[in-house]
Amino acid sequence: MTTAPAIEIHALAKHYGKVEALRGLDLRIPQGSLAGLVGLNGAGKTTTLRLLLGLARPSAGHASIFGLPCHSESDSVQIRRRTAALPEQKALFPYMTIAQVLQFTRGFYPHWRDALAQRLLDDFELDPKRKPCSLSKGQLTKLHLVLCLARGADLLLLDEPTDGLDPVATEIALQAMVSLVAESGATILLCSHRLNEIEQVADHLCFIHKGRALLDESLDDLKARARRLVLVFDHPNPAAEAALARHGRFRRDGRSVSLTLFSQNDEVEAEARSLGAVSVQSTPLNLHDLFLEMVKS
Amino acid sequence: MNPLWTRSWLECRPRFMMSGLLTAVLALNAVVMMAEGEIAGQLDYWEAMSFILFGVLLPTSALLLAGAGINIQSNSGFTQGLHPSTSFLLSLPATRAQLLFTRAATGGILLLLWILVSFPLLLAIASFLNKPLPPEPLRLLPFLLLAALFYYSLWVLIAARFDEIWSSTIAMTIIGAIAGYSMAGGPGWFNMIAFMKGENGHHQLPQTLFCLAASILFFRLTLTILRKREF
């Protein structure tokens, strides 16, 4: 029996006046995965999270979490009972102390994990007596992370969860996310511009560009097929270059040319050799390079 | 207890204290004025006190207690960056109707408490100073409560539609206009002070019904706005 996906988005569109934030987005995040959601500024990442949380209504299409439609208010409450969201803007109530915010949030979630909350407060060195309005940007992010991770939620929607964090706190946060997925089987959708962090923890990648999904697949599969071939020719060979350019993004640098491929490349390597390449070097792409290549192509 | 009640109380508490402070300052000011013999001779105590209490303090306290809610925390318009905690609040498993109800009810209860304390207090001060009062002043309480409901629901509606800078400006304009009209005019539809004093002639009964109907309509409109609004 197949498990329903944690998040399923089909042909989702969202217009703000004449601005098209999403233009037929399709995504499918499996349960128990730690998925990275990446894209340029204005690609539609935050809009996607807002639609999933029921903060905005779609112009067209459909989004569901655990099979429940996100646009229905009653279903949205059911969804939010099982979901923890870390918003892009990380302000909290200025009239509450950290202890009061924790107590307030705890009241909504029967599976609240006191021990984890206390451990994270200690790790992040947050004083429960302080008010959120007196915290720095990084400390606010830490507090939001405590509020999200301790809820015992089945799904976490995290928008820039390491924003403003120092390297130590970032490591603690990433470790906590991985542990949560491993121990409780929760699903995390991690929206961030810090590609090295996504590469470190994610097992699934969604790449949104101009309101559409360009990628939605396992990160391991993607990294297995996405490679850069560096080819060296004895002399300029325009015919070979033209033939190879149809396989992927092509760039000349003196006698060598590089070819970025997003599909199996054994045949391309063989073709390059047959076209006169004296050296063929295949290297895997890291997520940063992959991102840049996707955007450029 | 539902955590939304706790949040509403914590949000309303400083606003309630502000309304109390405002009342104390203006009441003290009135008492000092009355104590000055020469000024006292020129003023009708009941007219002056009812103007301050009914025309200024009650709508202003209602405004203080109706503010904030969901909208002040939004990141739209002129409040950008002020209290952008809406996303956090709305990501919790509560409907917008629940958010509105708990916040409006908490503010409403505190406004009721304010009326039940300040009105008898001012009557007691007047009695202590041997100032003339209307017969059976407590019979005005139902009109006072209805007018408070009218003002409060109107401010809740305005707060749901506009950010706090705009809603305060609009509300203070309305308070000034109604107070000015009430001071200058005789019995009439918008003479809220005369209505609260039970002196609005044949308009008293229809205005009672109007305040009730308008309050229900305002709360209904507020809920519709909050349900439709995207944050």
Side-chain angles (χ1 to χ4, degrees), chain A residues 26-52:
Chain A
D26 291 298
L27 285 180
R28 191 182 160 90
I29 312 292
Q31 283 194 38
S33 65
L34 205 166
L37 181 63
V38 298
L40 296 175
N41 294 327
K45 304 184 296 294
T46 298
T47 300
T48 305
L49 296 186
R50 282 154 47 84
L51 289 167
L52 288 172

mmCIF file of all heavy atoms in Angstrom, chain A residues 26-52:
data_model
loop_
_atom_site.group_PDB
_atom_site.id
_atom_site.type_symbol
_atom_site.label_atom_id
_atom_site.label_comp_id
_atom_site.label_asym_id
_atom_site.label_seq_id
_atom_site.Cartn_x
_atom_site.Cartn_y
_atom_site.Cartn_z
ATOM 1 N N ASP A 26 3.415 22.304 -9.571
ATOM 2 C CA ASP A 26 3.150 20.902 -9.226
ATOM 3 C C ASP A 26 4.265 20.403 -8.317
ATOM 4 O O ASP A 26 5.434 20.485 -8.689
ATOM 5 C CB ASP A 26 3.126 20.023 -10.488
ATOM 6 C CG ASP A 26 1.928 20.323 -11.358
ATOM 7 O OD1 ASP A 26 0.798 20.139 -10.898
ATOM 8 O OD2 ASP A 26 2.137 20.767 -12.506
ATOM 9 N N LEU A 27 3.885 19.904 -7.134
ATOM 10 C CA LEU A 27 4.882 19.355 -6.210
ATOM 11 C C LEU A 27 4.285 18.156 -5.489
ATOM 12 O O LEU A 27 3.074 18.092 -5.292
ATOM 13 C CB LEU A 27 5.294 20.386 -5.141
ATOM 14 C CG LEU A 27 6.222 21.546 -5.505
ATOM 15 C CD1 LEU A 27 6.471 22.402 -4.278
ATOM 16 C CD2 LEU A 27 7.523 21.055 -6.082
ATOM 17 N N ARG A 28 5.158 17.274 -5.077
ATOM 18 C CA ARG A 28 4.707 16.106 -4.317
ATOM 19 C C ARG A 28 5.820 15.743 -3.341
ATOM 20 O O ARG A 28 6.884 15.256 -3.734
ATOM 21 C CB ARG A 28 4.442 14.956 -5.300
ATOM 22 C CG ARG A 28 3.739 13.771 -4.711
ATOM 23 C CD ARG A 28 3.602 12.704 -5.810
ATOM 24 N NE ARG A 28 3.385 11.406 -5.213
ATOM 25 C CZ ARG A 28 2.193 10.908 -4.942
ATOM 26 N NH1 ARG A 28 1.109 11.583 -5.229
ATOM 27 N NH2 ARG A 28 2.071 9.721 -4.398
ATOM 28 N N ILE A 29 5.562 16.024 -2.067
ATOM 29 C CA ILE A 29 6.580 15.769 -1.037
ATOM 30 C C ILE A 29 6.195 14.497 -0.279
ATOM 31 O O ILE A 29 5.152 14.463 0.385
ATOM 32 C CB ILE A 29 6.676 16.944 -0.031
ATOM 33 C CG1 ILE A 29 6.751 18.290 -0.753
ATOM 34 C CG2 ILE A 29 7.849 16.743 0.928
ATOM 35 C CD1 ILE A 29 8.002 18.533 -1.524
ATOM 36 N N PRO A 30 7.013 13.457 -0.364
ATOM 37 C CA PRO A 30 6.661 12.208 0.327
ATOM 38 C C PRO A 30 6.719 12.364 1.850
ATOM 39 O O PRO A 30 7.487 13.184 2.358
ATOM 40 C CB PRO A 30 7.752 11.225 -0.130
ATOM 41 C CG PRO A 30 8.567 11.920 -1.145
ATOM 42 C CD PRO A 30 8.293 13.372 -1.062
ATOM 43 N N GLN A 31 5.918 11.571 2.530
ATOM 44 C CA GLN A 31 5.952 11.596 4.002
ATOM 45 C C GLN A 31 7.301 11.086 4.502
ATOM 46 O O GLN A 31 7.889 10.175 3.920
ATOM 47 C CB GLN A 31 4.836 10.727 4.569
ATOM 48 C CG GLN A 31 3.474 11.402 4.502
ATOM 49 C CD GLN A 31 2.440 10.695 5.361
ATOM 50 O OE1 GLN A 31 2.741 10.220 6.439
ATOM 51 N NE2 GLN A 31 1.212 10.647 4.867
ATOM 52 N N GLY A 32 7.776 11.694 5.568
ATOM 53 C CA GLY A 32 9.029 11.259 6.172
ATOM 54 C C GLY A 32 10.263 11.798 5.487
ATOM 55 O O GLY A 32 11.383 11.388 5.809
ATOM 56 N N SER A 33 10.065 12.705 4.537
ATOM 57 C CA SER A 33 11.247 13.244 3.854
ATOM 58 C C SER A 33 11.628 14.601 4.422
ATOM 59 O O SER A 33 10.811 15.284 5.041
ATOM 60 C CB SER A 33 10.991 13.354 2.348
ATOM 61 O OG SER A 33 9.975 14.288 2.105
ATOM 62 N N LEU A 34 12.863 14.960 4.198
ATOM 63 C CA LEU A 34 13.323 16.298 4.546
ATOM 64 C C LEU A 34 13.614 16.971 3.209
ATOM 65 O O LEU A 34 14.644 16.715 2.578
ATOM 66 C CB LEU A 34 14.571 16.215 5.424
ATOM 67 C CG LEU A 34 14.842 17.402 6.344
ATOM 68 C CD1 LEU A 34 15.887 17.067 7.375
ATOM 69 C CD2 LEU A 34 15.188 18.662 5.623
ATOM 70 N N ALA A 35 12.659 17.775 2.781
ATOM 71 C CA ALA A 35 12.721 18.329 1.423
ATOM 72 C C ALA A 35 13.196 19.767 1.452
ATOM 73 O O ALA A 35 12.767 20.550 2.299
ATOM 74 C CB ALA A 35 11.343 18.245 0.772
ATOM 75 N N GLY A 36 14.065 20.081 0.527
ATOM 76 C CA GLY A 36 14.516 21.460 0.387
ATOM 77 C C GLY A 36 13.711 22.147 -0.699
ATOM 78 O O GLY A 36 13.470 21.565 -1.762
ATOM 79 N N LEU A 37 13.279 23.358 -0.426
ATOM 80 C CA LEU A 37 12.548 24.140 -1.422
ATOM 81 C C LEU A 37 13.429 25.332 -1.773
ATOM 82 O O LEU A 37 13.665 26.200 -0.926
ATOM 83 C CB LEU A 37 11.210 24.611 -0.837
ATOM 84 C CG LEU A 37 10.293 25.418 -1.741
ATOM 85 C CD1 LEU A 37 9.841 24.608 -2.938
ATOM 86 C CD2 LEU A 37 9.062 25.900 -0.970
ATOM 87 N N VAL A 38 13.919 25.347 -2.998
ATOM 88 C CA VAL A 38 14.853 26.411 -3.373
ATOM 89 C C VAL A 38 14.350 27.148 -4.608
ATOM 90 O O VAL A 38 13.510 26.653 -5.365
ATOM 91 C CB VAL A 38 16.270 25.850 -3.639
ATOM 92 C CG1 VAL A 38 16.839 25.201 -2.399
ATOM 93 C CG2 VAL A 38 16.272 24.880 -4.803
ATOM 94 N N GLY A 39 14.884 28.328 -4.796
ATOM 95 C CA GLY A 39 14.519 29.142 -5.950
ATOM 96 C C GLY A 39 15.039 30.543 -5.751
ATOM 97 O O GLY A 39 15.437 30.912 -4.642
ATOM 98 N N LEU A 40 15.015 31.323 -6.836
ATOM 99 C CA LEU A 40 15.476 32.712 -6.743
ATOM 100 C C LEU A 40 14.498 33.521 -5.900
ATOM 101 O O LEU A 40 13.384 33.068 -5.622
ATOM 102 C CB LEU A 40 15.551 33.322 -8.150
ATOM 103 C CG LEU A 40 16.562 32.704 -9.115
ATOM 104 C CD1 LEU A 40 16.406 33.341 -10.491
ATOM 105 C CD2 LEU A 40 17.979 32.910 -8.602
ATOM 106 N N ASN A 41 14.897 34.738 -5.537
ATOM 107 C CA ASN A 41 13.961 35.640 -4.867
ATOM 108 C C ASN A 41 12.763 35.864 -5.774
ATOM 109 O O ASN A 41 12.921 36.094 -6.969
ATOM 110 C CB ASN A 41 14.623 36.998 -4.588
ATOM 111 C CG ASN A 41 15.746 36.881 -3.582
ATOM 112 O OD1 ASN A 41 15.688 36.055 -2.689
ATOM 113 N ND2 ASN A 41 16.760 37.699 -3.721
ATOM 114 N N GLY A 42 11.567 35.770 -5.194
ATOM 115 C CA GLY A 42 10.359 35.995 -5.985
ATOM 116 C C GLY A 42 9.945 34.796 -6.816
ATOM 117 O O GLY A 42 9.056 34.905 -7.660
ATOM 118 N N ALA A 43 10.574 33.650 -6.579
ATOM 119 C CA ALA A 43 10.230 32.452 -7.364
ATOM 120 C C ALA A 43 8.862 31.891 -6.973
ATOM 121 O O ALA A 43 8.234 31.179 -7.751
ATOM 122 C CB ALA A 43 11.303 31.389 -7.180
ATOM 123 N N GLY A 44 8.419 32.200 -5.753
ATOM 124 C CA GLY A 44 7.117 31.701 -5.300
ATOM 125 C C GLY A 44 7.195 30.792 -4.091
ATOM 126 O O GLY A 44 6.205 30.144 -3.727
ATOM 127 N N LYS A 45 8.347 30.738 -3.435
ATOM 128 C CA LYS A 45 8.516 29.816 -2.302
ATOM 129 C C LYS A 45 7.625 30.223 -1.114
ATOM 130 O O LYS A 45 6.880 29.399 -0.575
ATOM 131 C CB LYS A 45 9.983 29.804 -1.839
ATOM 132 C CG LYS A 45 10.981 29.456 -2.935
ATOM 133 C CD LYS A 45 12.395 29.369 -2.415
ATOM 134 C CE LYS A 45 12.940 30.677 -1.889
ATOM 135 N NZ LYS A 45 13.118 31.731 -2.911
ATOM 136 N N THR A 46 7.734 31.486 -0.714
ATOM 137 C CA THR A 46 6.950 31.932 0.444
ATOM 138 C C THR A 46 5.460 31.902 0.130
ATOM 139 O O THR A 46 4.649 31.529 0.983
ATOM 140 C CB THR A 46 7.417 33.347 0.866
ATOM 141 O OG1 THR A 46 8.796 33.261 1.242
ATOM 142 C CG2 THR A 46 6.617 33.868 2.040
ATOM 143 N N THR A 47 5.100 32.254 -1.091
ATOM 144 C CA THR A 47 3.686 32.181 -1.479
ATOM 145 C C THR A 47 3.176 30.746 -1.355
ATOM 146 O O THR A 47 2.067 30.509 -0.873
ATOM 147 C CB THR A 47 3.503 32.681 -2.934
ATOM 148 O OG1 THR A 47 3.944 34.034 -2.997
ATOM 149 C CG2 THR A 47 2.060 32.592 -3.383
ATOM 150 N N THR A 48 4.000 29.794 -1.749
ATOM 151 C CA THR A 48 3.614 28.386 -1.641
ATOM 152 C C THR A 48 3.342 28.021 -0.181
ATOM 153 O O THR A 48 2.320 27.397 0.142
ATOM 154 C CB THR A 48 4.737 27.485 -2.201
ATOM 155 O OG1 THR A 48 5.018 27.892 -3.532
ATOM 156 C CG2 THR A 48 4.341 26.024 -2.174
ATOM 157 N N LEU A 49 4.236 28.454 0.712
ATOM 158 C CA LEU A 49 4.048 28.151 2.135
ATOM 159 C C LEU A 49 2.792 28.828 2.678
ATOM 160 O O LEU A 49 2.045 28.243 3.464
ATOM 161 C CB LEU A 49 5.265 28.605 2.942
ATOM 162 C CG LEU A 49 6.599 27.905 2.634
ATOM 163 C CD1 LEU A 49 7.678 28.349 3.608
ATOM 164 C CD2 LEU A 49 6.453 26.393 2.685
ATOM 165 N N ARG A 50 2.548 30.067 2.252
ATOM 166 C CA ARG A 50 1.347 30.785 2.717
ATOM 167 C C ARG A 50 0.077 30.078 2.254
ATOM 168 O O ARG A 50 -0.906 29.983 3.001
ATOM 169 C CB ARG A 50 1.361 32.222 2.199
ATOM 170 C CG ARG A 50 2.301 33.138 2.999
ATOM 171 C CD ARG A 50 2.795 34.308 2.177
ATOM 172 N NE ARG A 50 1.758 34.979 1.442
ATOM 173 C CZ ARG A 50 0.969 35.925 1.937
ATOM 174 N NH1 ARG A 50 1.149 36.319 3.169
ATOM 175 N NH2 ARG A 50 0.036 36.495 1.205
ATOM 176 N N LEU A 51 0.091 29.574 1.030
ATOM 177 C CA LEU A 51 -1.080 28.856 0.519
ATOM 178 C C LEU A 51 -1.270 27.534 1.267
ATOM 179 O O LEU A 51 -2.395 27.132 1.572
ATOM 180 C CB LEU A 51 -0.931 28.603 -0.984
ATOM 181 C CG LEU A 51 -1.055 29.846 -1.871
ATOM 182 C CD1 LEU A 51 -0.580 29.558 -3.283
ATOM 183 C CD2 LEU A 51 -2.487 30.354 -1.902
ATOM 184 N N LEU A 52 -0.172 26.877 1.577
ATOM 185 C CA LEU A 52 -0.267 25.611 2.310
ATOM 186 C C LEU A 52 -0.849 25.825 3.704
ATOM 187 O O LEU A 52 -1.573 24.978 4.224
ATOM 188 C CB LEU A 52 1.113 24.957 2.422
ATOM 189 C CG LEU A 52 1.689 24.353 1.142
ATOM 190 C CD1 LEU A 52 3.130 23.914 1.352
ATOM 191 C CD2 LEU A 52 0.849 23.167 0.665
#
